[in-house]
Amino acid sequence: MLTSDPQTPPPGGGFPLVAAADLQDHLMVASHDLERLQRLLEDAGEALMGHFYGASNQMNVLRDEAPKVNLDTAPIKEALQSLAGAITALQFQDMATQLIAHTQRRLRNCADRIARDAMGDDEDGEAVVEDAPMRPNPVTQDEMDAGSIDLF
Amino acid sequence: MHTILAVDDSPSMRQMVSFTLKNAGFNVVEAVDGQDAFEKSTQRDYNLVLTDQNMPRMDGISLTKKLRENPKFKQTPILILTTESSDQMKMAGRAAGATGWLVKPFDPAKLIEVIGKVVR
C-alpha cells in the first residue's frame, strides 16, 4: 500500500516504500547475476565436454590400434582413470544448474512479495508473485565426491 | 546387447550417462523427462531404466509408479539417479517400486558395477 511519505513505514508496519524499492532492486540484480552465472556455467560445461570427448576419442584410437599399441601400461591406465574422474567432476553443471534455479526462484519470490506488500497490486490487476519453491533445495552436496548408492 | 532407457532433463547429464553406458557395452535410448520416457517405454523392451528424479512434466518417482503399473515393467530394474539424498525421498522412491537410489555425482565404475548387479 502506498504511504504518503515514502521514507516512513506504512501504518500497519513493514518496509517504507523507498527501502522496499531499493531491496527489490538488489534482489533483482542478484537474480540477473545468477542468470549470467548460469550462462557462463553452460558455456564452460560445453567447452569442457568438448575437450573431454577429444581426449576420449584419442583413447579410442589407441584402443583400435591394439595390440599394435600396448594398452597395459601405467600412463594409459592413468589416462583412463583421469577420464573416469572427469565424468564425475563434469556433473557439476547439472548440480549447479539446479542450485541456481532454486535460488533464483526464491529471490524472485522475495522481490515480488516485497513489491506487492509495499506498493500494492498493479493498476491492471493483482500483482504477479513468482511462486516460492515448494521444497528445500534438492542439491545439498558441497563437494564433487561420488554420491551414495542404495539398492532396495 | 542390453538396452537401457536413460532419462534426464539435463543434456550434459544425458551425455555423461550415455557415454558411460555405451563404453561399457550397453545400448542406450535417451529420454528428456519422465513423460518422454513413458512414451518411449511402449516402443521397445528395456533391460533397465536409469532415471533422474527432478524433471519437468513427470519426475522419476511418478515415472517409476507408472512403469510398475505395466506388467512388462514389473521385473525391470529401475534405478533413480538424482541429486536428492534425503531419506524421505529415498523411501518414496522405494515405495514407488524403484530398485535403487543413486545420489549424483556418479562414479562411472560404480554405476556400471551396480547395473551389473541388477540387470539380468
Side-chain angles (χ1 to χ4, degrees), chain A residues 99-118:
Chain A
L99 195 55
I100 289 171
H102 186 96
T103 306
Q104 247 179 338
R105 206 165 164 192
R106 196 174 286 285
L107 285 177
R108 289 206 174 132
N109 171 261
C110 289
D112 289 350
R113 278 169 47 205
I114 287 168
R116 183 196 57 196
D117 292 351

Side-chain angles (χ1 to χ4, degrees), chain B residues 55-80:
Chain B
M55 295 179 287
R57 301 208 295 169
M58 190 191 295
D59 64 32
I61 289 177
S62 303
L63 171 66
T64 304
K65 280 183 192 161
K66 290 199 80 159
L67 289 177
R68 288 300 186 216
E69 287 169 5
N70 180 348
K72 202 172 87 169
F73 280 91
K74 280 272 185 250
Q75 302 298 323
T76 308
I78 301 176
L79 296 175
I80 299 185

